């Protein structure tokens, strides 16, 4: 549980950080909250020669409103998300999920950028970002580009980030007022990754579902957007048969691994239940 | 008398003696980060050692090359079995009469087994060195399933035992067999089963788990070449035993070995045995002439130092159709891993498992235990229980529920029908124990009344009906557990460790001003001895607990003791403390008589001193007697006021309790909710009710963890799949249920203060309460027994197997 040797860098600007990452090449890793990277280094499963600590980059902090979107700096901590009234009013589901991430000590340190950029299928934020239609700003030596969260995840720990690129901010479109939301996460204990989890954001009109998006956490190598399941509930009042149909559609795209949380069969089964429960709870809180 | 004269109540309260909820004095330093643990120790020039460990469960070690490691800056030595052979320490004896490799000698027998010890100037360099040691392995087939250990074609694990068909506990039947242990009357028991109206038979597995104390195992060894003395600071639950073991195996005279256990962050049995880390750090210090520190990390602790349980118990009960038990037959297959490193008293290869008749009046019983080797970590320690008592309690308490189900009787009613009656104590059990005292019926009825047992059963019946009508997906279970512990090892007639009788000891020195110090052979790992030991002395000799300092853990100053585990401290060391205090009091009485110019027999004890019978104003306080002991003792008496007591208990003590768990389970997800948990404990005389409550809370939390998910699990290749807190279930305050505690008091008749010990009762009684709750919830769907651990997915699987989703 002792990491190998590495050099430590602490740039003050995004430009310097990007420069360091591109010049040091594949042996360099950006360091945000460190909750994924540092344990891997302690097990020597990750052995970067250079750590580029982003805590000195002021431009990566902050939460602001830009038109109809909320822009969150990559180095905003889970605690800062929870402390933000803007998030609480516009993206209440983000508060719900941030509160499910481990414990206060972890949330003081863990960042949203690290959470979404690492490509860890167990992290809760990526599926939510897909559900909300968020996009990520990636900055590299050749400039900046925006990539939709739905296009970002390619495999476990594999993302659209190119070598030398840094995820600098997240832009989340604000859902309509009165939208319903819920994140149902089955876990063994506080701080655990989901055995299965489902995020739902929907709007209701005349007692029927008008729009709906469903995201799934830890039920595949990447977070999933359950498009067919969401389609199945549009125009319905979420009667038991519809819920069942949506769950079946969601289960059809799940491919979790068996682990200590349970065999594949179980994780898919409860994945479907999380979808049904999230849909019902989201509809109940929609106005 | 003026208003300033304290009342009797005030004098009594000032002592903070037995029965007082005295606040824990050690918490002042613990809550301020001022504890002094092994890893806090930093000696000048101290080196650090760490292990190269095996990635394989079973493999031949073809070569170990440390050349590249020695090139790493700061790395000073790479110690292997070959190095240890030069000092005859490649293998070490275990407490169970087996031998264990210190470092891999020719082969490895479990994943993460110690292969080489790298010594360096700091922890980082040691780890860098580990990564440069090249070990060539030739993988061999693993042996994970204990039921296959004695197959004809099972791989030979212990090549060192080739041809030795007799072990420390008698004949061996197979190359992977360790021992067979039998107790009881086989013929009588067989006859009881033949005659029985009703019998049950079920294989009850108690899975492998781990004590996982907050602080892992660690030590600092420092060898002084000039004086030829070895000092060892370590996380030892039994420091004197470690000193003797070191003297025996390292051939250093015992007076030149100084073993010190500083503050310890939890033990739960994990810190009783001797581990390769201790030997390697000592050898490294002898070789380098410098202090060497070894500190385990969490993964190493979970995967390499002593596990607990792994008992597979085929349980049979014979009974009349009215529900009176007539016989018990149990066969245990005990998985000991690669070496038999069980920490039991030497003559007890399966500990006190023969307490398996529990709280019930079985006319006859027969028990046999087969120990086997597998390619898993060694151990088999008493994880917050007396030796193998949790396993025994689980066996009988599940067995009684299964019998109740078969008879169509209520499980509480079945227990009440079969309890040993209060008037039967002292009670001789069919498997050889003499239970000291108990009143089981009173405890059980108090539990049933407090929780409204009948009301809960009625609610359960309604819920079951609703479930069958499809109105709910929740099922409800009531887990009843009535356990009898056997603690306080133990009487020299049947308990020893490596030949040393399991007494314990106390030395008290009273200073002239009426304060004093007591040194005890036990060793607190969080139990609060500094608080409770002083309370015993306070009541016994009338000196406030605050004026008594308690010291443990330094083998140079503490009298020889066998340490703290198996709830033995209060039954054995607690008795030694009371007996030493009584010696002080006896001498004090002589001094008081001399000073008051009366005959000793004319004095009577009065809270905090002696007074002359019939003349209460003529008295002498203990504080004044202390002063007199140093300047005016009777002619011919030695001055001073000190006493030592070594206490060899005449019998074990037998705490008991009535627990109940009320649980709901969502069949769709397997998620459970503990609605209520009530624990009534009878530990005899209660020394500090607050500490007892804390002990019960802690033990129940561990019981909850074990029953509901905590396991050390191996995959088919012998890899540990639960080797970190990510997967090894360690509940937080969020998952932990609310605990309700209660008590009755049935003192031990043979213990000087009537106390029995309590720290482990909640783990012993808690596990069956949880498991019975889960099993009770599913029983109406046709289930007889579902194996632990009862985590979410297994509950769901149980529901599925019972056709709930059909």
């Amino acid at each position: 549980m002792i990491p190998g040797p590495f050099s430590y860098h602490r740039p003050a600007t995004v430009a310097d950080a990007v420069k360091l990452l591109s010049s040091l090449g594949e042996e360099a890793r950006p360091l945000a909250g460190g909750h994924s990277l540092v344990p891997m280094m302690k097990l020597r499963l990750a052995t970067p020669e250079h750590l580029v600590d982003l805590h000195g980059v002021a431009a990566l902090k902050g939460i602001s409103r830009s038109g109809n979107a909320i822009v969150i700096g990559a180095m905003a901590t889970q605690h800062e998300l929870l402390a933000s009234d803007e998030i609480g009013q516009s993206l209440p589901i983000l508060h719900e999920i941030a509160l499910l991430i481990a414990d206060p000590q972890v949330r003081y340190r863990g960042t949203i950028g690290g959470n979404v950029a690492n490509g860890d299928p167990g992290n809760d934020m990526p599926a939510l970002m897909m559900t909300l239609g968020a996009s990520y700003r990636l900055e590299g030596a050749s400039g900046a580009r925006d990539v939709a969260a739905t296009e970002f995840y390619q495999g476990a720990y594999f993302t659209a980030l190119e070598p030398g690129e840094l995820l600098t901010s997240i832009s989340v479109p604000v859902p309509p007022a009165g939208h319903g939301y819920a994140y149902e996460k089955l876990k063994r204990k506080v701080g655990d990754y989901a055995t299965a989890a489902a995020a739902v954001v929907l709007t209701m009109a005349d007692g029927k579902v008008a729009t709906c998006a469903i995201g799934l956490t830890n039920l595949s190598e990447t977070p999933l957007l359950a498009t067919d399941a969401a389609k199945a509930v549009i125009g319905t009042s979420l009667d038991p048969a519809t819920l069942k149909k949506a769950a079946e559609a969601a289960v059809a795209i799940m491919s979790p691994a068996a682990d200590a949380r349970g065999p594949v069969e179980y994780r898919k089964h409860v994945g479907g239940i999380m979808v049904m429960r999230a849909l019902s709870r989201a509809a109940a809180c929609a106005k | 008398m003026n208003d300033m004269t304290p009342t009797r109540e005030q004098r009594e309260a000032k002592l903070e003696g037995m029965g007082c909820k005295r606040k824990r004095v050690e918490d002042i330093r613990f809550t301020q980060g001022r504890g002094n643990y092994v890893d806090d120790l930093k000696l000048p020039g101290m080196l650090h050692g760490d292990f190269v460990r095996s990635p394989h469960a079973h493999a031949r070690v073809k070569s170990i090359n440390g050349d590249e490691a020695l090139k790493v800056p700061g790395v000073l030595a790479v110690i292997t079995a070959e190095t240890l052979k030069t000092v005859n320490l490649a293998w070490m004896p275990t407490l169970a009469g087996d031998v264990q490799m210190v470092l891999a000698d020719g082969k490895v027998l479990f994943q993460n087994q110690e292969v080489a010890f790298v010594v360096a100037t700091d922890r980082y360099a040691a780890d860098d060195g580990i990564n440069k040691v090249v070990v060539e392995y030739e993988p061999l087939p693993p042996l994970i399933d204990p039921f296959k250990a004695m197959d004809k074609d099972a791989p030979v694990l212990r090549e060192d035992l080739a041809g030795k068909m007799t072990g420390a506990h008698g004949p061996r039947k197979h190359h992977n067999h360790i021992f067979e242990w039998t107790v009881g009357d086989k013929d009588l028991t067989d006859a009881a089963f033949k005659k029985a109206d009703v019998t049950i038979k079920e294989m009850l597995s108690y899975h492998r788990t781990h004590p996982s104390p907050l602080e892992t195992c660690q030590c600092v060894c420092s060898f002084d070449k000039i004086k030829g003395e070895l000092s060892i600071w370590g996380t030892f639950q039994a420091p004197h035993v470690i000193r003797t073991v070191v003297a025996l195996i390292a051939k250093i005279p015992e007076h030149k070995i100084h073993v010190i256990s500083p503050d310890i962050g939890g033990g739960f049995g994990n810190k009783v045995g001797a581990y390769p880390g201790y030997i390697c750090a000592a050898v490294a210090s002898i070789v380098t002439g410098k202090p060497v520190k070894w500190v385990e990390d969490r993964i190493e602790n979970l995967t390499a130092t002593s596990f607990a349980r792994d008992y597979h118990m085929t349980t049979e009960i014979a009974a009349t159709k009215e529900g009176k038990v007539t016989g018990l037959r149990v066969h245990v297959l005990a998985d000991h891993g690669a070496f038999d490193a069980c920490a039991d008293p030497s003559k007890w290869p399966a500990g006190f498992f023969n307490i398996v008749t529990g709280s019930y009046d079985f006319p006859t019983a027969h028990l046999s235990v087969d120990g086997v080797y597998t390619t898993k970590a060694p151990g088999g320690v008493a994880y917050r229980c007396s030796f193998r008592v949790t396993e025994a309690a689980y066996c009988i308490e599940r067995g009684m529920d299964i019998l109740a189900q078969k008879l169509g009787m209520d499980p509480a009613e079945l227990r009440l029908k079969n309890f040993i009656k209060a008037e039967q104590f002292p009670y001789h059990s069919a498997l050889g124990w003499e239970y000291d005292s108990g009143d089981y019926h009173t405890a059980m009825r108090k539990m049933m009344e407090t929780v409204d047992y009948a009301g809960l059963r009625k609610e359960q019946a309604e819920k079951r009906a609703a479930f069958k009508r499809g109105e709910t997906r929740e099922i409800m279970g009531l887990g009843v557990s009535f356990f009898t512990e056997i603690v306080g090892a133990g009487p020299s007639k049947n308990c020893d460790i490596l030949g040393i009788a399991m007494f314990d000891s106390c030395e008290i020195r009273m200073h002239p001003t009426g304060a004093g110090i007591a040194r005890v052979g036990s060793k607190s790992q969080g139990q609060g001895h500094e608080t409770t030991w002083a309370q015993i002395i306070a009541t016994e000799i009338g000196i406030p607990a605050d004026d008594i300092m308690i010291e443990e853990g330094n083998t140079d100053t503490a009298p020889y003791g066998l340490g703290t585990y198996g709830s033995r401290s209060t039954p054995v060391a607690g008795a030694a403390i009371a007996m030493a205090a009584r010696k002080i009091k006896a001498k004090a009485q002589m001094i008081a008589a001399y000073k008051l110019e009366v005959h000793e027999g004319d004095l009577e004890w009065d809270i905090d001193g002696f007074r002359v019978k019939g003349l209460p104003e003529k008295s002498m306080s203990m504080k004044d007697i202390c002063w007199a002991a140093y300047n005016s003792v009777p002619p011919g008496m030695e001055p001073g006021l000190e006493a030592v007591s070594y206490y060899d208990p005449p019998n074990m003590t037998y705490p008991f309790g009535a627990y109940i768990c009320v649980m709901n389970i969502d069949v769709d997800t397997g998620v459970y909710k503990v609605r209520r948990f009530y624990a009534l404990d009878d530990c005899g005389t209660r020394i500090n009710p607050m500490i007892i409550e804390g002990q019960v809370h802690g033990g129940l939390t561990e019981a909850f963890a074990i029953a509901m998910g905590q396991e050390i699990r191996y995959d088919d290749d012998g890899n540990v799949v639960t080797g970190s807190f990510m997967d090894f279930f360690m509940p937080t305050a969020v998952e932990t249920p609310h605990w309700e505690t209660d008590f009755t008091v049935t003192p031990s008749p043979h213990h000087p203060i009537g106390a029995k010990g309590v720290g482990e009762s909640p783990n012993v009684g808690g596990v069956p309460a949880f498991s019975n709750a889960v099993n009770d919830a599913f029983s109406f769907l046709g289930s007889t027994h579902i194996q632990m651990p009862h985590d979410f997915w297994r509950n769901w699987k149980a529901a599925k197997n019972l056709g709930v989703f059909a």
Side-chain angles (χ1 to χ4, degrees), chain B residues 232-448:
Chain B
I232 307 175
W233 293 262
T235 48
F236 308 130
Q237 292 183 234
H240 284 96
V241 177
I242 294 285
R243 187 183 71 191
T244 301
V245 170
V246 173
L248 292 173
I249 67 176
K251 310 278 188 249
I252 298 171
E254 195 165 353
H255 67 294
K256 294 197 169 189
I257 303 167
H258 314 290
V259 176
I260 297 148
S261 291
D263 286 330
I264 296 182
F268 313 114
N270 184 234
K271 294 169 178 168
V272 172
Y275 294 121
Y278 307 156
I279 308 283
C280 288
V283 170
S285 180
I286 291 167
V287 170
T288 61
K290 295 198 168 154
V292 176
K293 181 185 270 188
W294 169 69
V295 175
E296 249 184 354
D297 68 29
R298 180 60 58 191
I299 294 172
E300 292 175 300
N301 180 256
L302 283 173
T303 59
T305 45
S306 293
F307 75 93
R309 326 297 194 232
D310 219 344
Y311 258 35
H312 308 277
M313 307 172 286
T314 303
T315 309
E316 296 172 81
I317 302 177
T320 65
K321 56 183 183 301
E322 293 80 25
K324 195 89 185 130
V325 296
T326 55
L328 174 70
R329 187 158 56 200
V330 179
H331 176 264
V332 180
L333 182 66
D335 184 342
H336 284 244
F339 309 98
D340 186 6
C342 246
D344 292 321
S346 298
K347 294 187 197 84
W348 300 87
F352 305 149
F353 189 87
N354 54 328
I355 192 73
V356 69
T357 51
S359 314
Y360 313 104
D361 189 11
F362 276 95
T364 181
H366 185 255
L367 162 68
S368 57
V369 183
D370 278 301
V372 295
Y373 293 120
T374 57
T375 52
K376 299 181 195 170
V381 294
Y383 169 8
R384 203 171 185 142
C385 65
S386 194
F387 313 99
R388 300 296 187 183
V389 176
T390 41
E391 290 93 326
Y394 184 70
C395 176
I396 188 62
E397 287 308 291
R398 271 303 297 137
M400 290 301 274
D401 260 31
I402 293 166
L403 177 63
Q405 192 181 348
K406 182 140 186 186
L407 288 162
M409 268 177 87
D410 182 87
E413 189 194 330
L414 178 71
R415 285 172 171 80
L416 283 166
K417 193 163 205 161
N418 287 289
F419 278 149
I420 300 159
K421 295 182 184 73
E423 60 270 24
Q424 286 177 277
F425 292 92
Y427 172 82
H428 292 265
S429 79
L431 292 177
W433 294 113
E434 184 191 309
Y435 293 26
D436 59 349
S437 64
D439 184 352
Y440 299 164
H441 288 90
T442 301
M444 186 74 166
R445 289 194 179 115
K446 187 171 181 185
M447 178 274 274
M448 292 170 74

Side-chain angles (χ1 to χ4, degrees), chain B residues 19-240:
Chain B
C20 165
K21 293 184 180 180
R22 185 183 185 217
K23 284 191 179 162
R24 286 168 39 115
V25 294
E26 43 274 87
D27 286 351
I28 296 167
R29 65 178 190 277
F30 291 156
T31 54
Q32 296 182 54
R34 297 299 176 100
N36 174 36
Y37 297 91
V38 172
D39 204 18
D40 292 323
L41 187 67
K42 291 175 179 70
L43 298 176
M46 188 171 75
L47 305 176
H48 298 258
D50 207 348
F51 283 109
V52 174
R53 292 179 180 274
S54 168
H56 300 284
H58 191 196
R60 207 163 294 291
V61 177
K62 302 190 76 176
S63 66
I64 303 172
N65 188 330
D67 293 350
E68 288 303 309
L70 287 166
K71 290 180 192 162
V72 172
V75 172
L76 302 176
V78 177
I79 294 172
T80 65
E82 295 310 312
T83 327
L84 294 178
K85 278 178 188 171
T86 63
V87 284
N88 206 23
L89 283 174
W91 292 69
M92 62 178 181
T94 71
L95 294 175
D98 196 359
V99 289
Q100 175 179 353
M101 288 180 208
V102 175
L103 290 170
D105 184 14
K107 70 192 292 197
V108 287
L109 285 160
F110 63 95
Q111 190 186 46
N112 277 1
Q113 185 179 335
E114 300 82 357
V115 173
F117 192 66
V118 175
V119 185
T121 48
D122 64 61
R123 272 285 261 159
Y124 288 85
D127 246 48
D128 291 345
I130 284 167
N131 283 277
K132 296 284 185 188
V133 175
V134 181
V135 186
E136 199 186 341
Y137 296 99
E138 177 192 320
L140 296 167
L143 174 54
I144 302 308
D145 182 354
F147 287 93
K148 293 180 178 156
M150 292 202 282
D151 284 358
K152 217 169 175 183
D153 57 351
V156 177
L157 305 187
R158 293 288 300 275
E159 288 164 0
D160 60 299
L161 299 178
K164 289 186 192 160
M165 290 320 284
T166 302
H169 305 287
R172 298 169 61 223
K173 295 185 276 202
H174 181 275
H175 55 258
N176 293 328
H177 186 238
I178 309 171
F179 63 84
E180 181 184 12
W181 187 59
T182 59
V183 196
D185 191 322
K186 188 172 183 306
D187 295 340
L188 255 181
T189 306
D190 289 347
F193 273 85
K194 269 199 192 117
K195 275 200 339 214
D197 300 330
V198 179
T199 61
I200 61 127
K201 181 175 184 178
E202 195 71 40
M203 206 288 286
L204 309 170
S205 269
Y206 197 145
H207 57 284
R208 177 176 281 234
T209 182
H210 196 281
S212 52
L214 187 58
E215 176 201 36
T216 59
C217 298
Q218 36 200 272
C219 70
V220 175
C221 295
S222 181
F223 185 68
D224 183 327
K225 278 189 176 167
I226 310 293
K227 294 184 186 163
E229 294 181 11
L230 178 64
S231 300
I232 307 175
W233 293 262
T235 48
F236 308 130
Q237 292 183 234
H240 284 96

Side-chain angles (χ1 to χ4, degrees), chain B residues 586-658:
Chain B
K587 184 170 179 181
Q589 188 167 0
M590 288 191 260
I591 296 170
Y594 175 67
K595 298 291 287 184
L596 294 168
E597 300 178 323
V598 295
H599 189 270
E600 270 176 62
D602 295 331
L603 292 178
E604 63 185 2
W605 180 250
D606 180 37
I607 301 173
D608 53 9
F610 287 97
R611 67 182 179 197
V612 178
K613 286 178 193 166
L615 291 168
E617 69 283 1
K618 226 181 151 188
S619 66
M620 191 170 185
S621 72
M622 196 68 189
K623 191 176 157 84
D624 291 341
I625 297 170
C626 287
W627 184 258
Y630 288 87
N631 58 37
S632 48
V633 294
M637 178 186 275
E638 289 180 10
L641 195 52
E642 302 186 4
V644 183
S645 172
Y646 278 71
Y647 186 81
D648 179 6
N651 191 5
M652 306 289 212
T653 62
Y654 297 77
F656 58 93

Side-chain angles (χ1 to χ4, degrees), chain A residues 1-25:
Chain A
M1 293 294 277
I2 303 284
F6 58 87
S7 303
Y8 175 82
H9 308 267
R10 193 179 169 96
T13 64
V14 171
D16 283 350
V18 165
K19 207 166 138 192
L20 275 167
L21 288 169
S22 9
S23 62
L24 296 170

